[in-house]
Amino acid sequence: MAIDYADEVLQGSPRAAARVMSWLENGDERAYPCMEKLYPHTGKSYLIGITGSPGAGKSTLTDKVARAIRKAGLTVGIVAVDPSSPFTGGAVLGDRVRMSELSLDPGVYIRSMATRGFLGGMAQATNDVVKVLDAFGKDIIIIETVGVGQDEVDIIDLADTTCLVLVPGAGDSIQSMKSGVMEIADVFVINKCDRAGADQLASEVLVRVEQDTHIKERDWTPPVVRTVAVDDEGIEDLWNAIEKHRQLIQSGETFIKKRRERTNKETLRMVHNEMFRIIREHLENSGQLDRFVSDILERKKDPYSVMRQILDSCISLPQSQSKE
Ligand SMILES: Nc1nc2c(ncn2[C@@H]2O[C@H](COP(=O)(O)OP(=O)(O)OP(=O)(O)O)[C@@H](O)[C@H]2O)c(=O)[nH]1
Ligand SMILES: [Mg+2]
């Protein structure tokens, strides 16, 4: 009899979890029935995003925070998205975490994801992998991602608490930061506080947080936590800050609202991805795409009406709706 991988995941098999995650990453359709079965068992994990520039110390922090979480008696899943940065030349595929003794702890599950090759995009793939870990029963899931000012920022939509890691003297000055980046942080982490300029950076961030607090009313003022991740300094403070945020948002409306927004986006994104995949496959396999492209190049047709024609032949929505 065929193995029911979803059942195995629910029973705590790390091998089954790995299998399902690989299917997800490879766009293997066997993942779908599994995910359908796993979905009712998701929504229990708390998601922490750790984001920041390449080499900011995200993996080191992830490793240390995961230990703090284990000390608190909770289990943890770690998803490292694009952890290998050409800038640091350092940890490849989460090695920094994987090499530590954490990886021997059955209460910890580590998954690295390369950023290329996902049909539905990185955000979707990460989302899916997080779901598997959620169904797998991990209390807390940490998502490490290089997300500052890049497309991956939407990964931040995933997290319940987002920690933005900044480093003194690394060009992380607040002025140079792209708009919108500061706003994503629920907790600011000034890492590498053993370096010069930490005080200045911390006060710049504080000033900025103050300003924001004046502009918009909010029930949470992002704290600024200082760490030296390599020396395990400030990790307790960071974990406490995350816990505080978790308590606040889990007790309020924000949590429900955030999760609703996330589910909304997720549903639309999945429809978008799947629809695109189906249409593209059809156009390519039937040779229609080639013909369209030739016609467009020869100016017999234009891409605008081709797009309409393709959509009209694919979906027969009422006219008023398809025009929206
Ligand atoms: N001096 C100092 N170095 C640190 C600190 N935290 C991390 N590092 C070092 O910074 C380098 C990058 O650390 P990582 O944890 O791999 O950083 P990262 O943000 O995960 O890097 P990418 O995933 O490649 O973007 C490593 O050499 C770490 O040892 C710190 O607090 N102080
Ligand atoms: Mg890393």
Side-chain angles (χ1 to χ4, degrees):
M1 214 182 80
I3 300 169
D4 186 329
Y5 283 97
D7 264 350
E8 301 247 317
V9 170
L10 294 173
Q11 279 160 30
S13 156
R15 285 187 53 215
R19 175 66 67 95
V20 177
M21 289 189 237
S22 297
W23 284 342
L24 288 166
E25 288 191 4
N26 300 330
D28 189 317
E29 295 199 348
R30 282 175 287 183
Y32 288 134
C34 278
M35 293 311 282
E36 284 165 21
K37 216 164 162 186
L38 292 181
Y39 196 82
H41 304 274
T42 62
K44 297 184 194 109
S45 304
Y46 193 80
L47 315 185
I48 300 170
I50 296 195
T51 189
S53 316
K58 300 177 297 296
S59 296
T60 316
L61 280 164
T62 299
D63 181 294
K64 305 287 157 116
V65 170
R67 288 165 205 244
I69 294 169
R70 292 296 291 139
K71 251 195 238 156
L74 300 169
T75 57
V76 55
I78 299 171
V79 183
V81 184
D82 189 21
S84 58
S85 97
F87 299 98
T88 58
V92 176
L93 296 179
D95 279 353
R96 206 170 292 286
V97 180
R98 190 179 293 148
M99 283 184 317
S100 83
E101 70 255 34
L102 268 188
S103 59
L104 303 172
D105 177 350
V108 178
Y109 190 98
I110 304 162
R111 181 77 185 189
S112 303
M113 300 173 68
T115 39
R116 261 158 268 285
F118 296 106
L119 279 175
M122 209 49 218
Q124 184 60 40
T126 308
N127 192 21
D128 290 338
V129 163
V130 164
K131 292 252 155 49
V132 176
L133 289 176
D134 189 341
F136 193 46
K138 293 294 172 241
D139 299 316
I140 310 266
I141 297 170
I142 306 179
I143 307 157
E144 176 199 337
T145 159
V146 178
V148 177
Q150 298 178 14
D151 296 345
E152 282 87 353
V153 166
D154 63 353
I155 282 171
I156 278 112
D157 290 339
L158 266 177
D160 298 311
T161 300
T162 298
C163 304
L164 178 61
V165 186
L166 303 171
V167 172
D172 273 349
S173 92
I174 301 307
Q175 285 82 8
S176 70
M177 210 151 277
K178 287 195 182 140
S179 65
V181 172
M182 291 288 287
E183 284 74 14
I184 61 164
D186 299 307
V187 175
F188 287 98
V189 185
I190 313 285
N191 189 40
K192 307 199 185 181
C193 275
D194 50 328
R195 289 192 180 171
D199 288 341
Q200 197 197 329
L201 179 59
S203 47
E204 272 182 46
V205 175
L206 273 171
V207 168
R208 187 54 191 274
V209 170
E210 278 284 303
Q211 282 170 352
D212 283 357
T213 314
H214 284 300
I215 298 165
K216 40 184 187 247
E217 233 179 281
R218 49 180 174 187
D219 49 4
W220 173 255
T221 306
V224 181
V225 181
R226 293 158 179 247
T227 58
V228 184
V230 274
D231 295 338
D232 224 335
E233 278 174 36
I235 303 301
E236 216 45 46
D237 293 344
L238 173 55
W239 173 234
N240 288 339
I242 295 169
E243 269 294 71
K244 240 174 147 180
H245 185 246
R246 168 157 94 130
Q247 278 159 18
L248 176 87
I249 76 161
Q250 278 189 332
S251 65
E253 298 266 302
T254 327
F255 194 60
I256 299 159
K257 216 178 113 201
K258 250 187 165 175
R259 293 225 159 171
R260 192 173 180 93
E261 276 168 21
R262 194 186 299 161
T263 306
N264 184 322
K265 271 194 189 172
E266 180 182 309
T267 308
L268 286 175
R269 186 173 53 211
M270 285 175 75
V271 173
H272 169 104
N273 288 347
E274 193 59 9
M275 209 152 91
F276 180 70
R277 191 183 66 79
I278 292 169
I279 294 175
R280 179 174 165 168
E281 257 177 37
H282 171 73
L283 288 175
E284 286 179 349
N285 296 344
S286 66
Q288 251 184 314
L289 186 64
D290 275 340
R291 287 195 292 279
F292 277 135
V293 170
S294 300
D295 286 350
I296 293 169
L297 283 171
E298 289 165 25
R299 298 302 188 271
K300 287 184 193 156
K301 283 195 166 114
D302 67 89
Y304 308 94
S305 50
V306 163
M307 180 265 288
R308 288 240 158 261
Q309 192 184 331
I310 291 168
L311 288 188
D312 285 346
S313 68
C314 293
I315 30 173
S316 44
L317 289 175
Q319 205 58 26
S320 59
Q321 279 182 33
S322 66
K323 280 224 172 104
E324 258 177 27

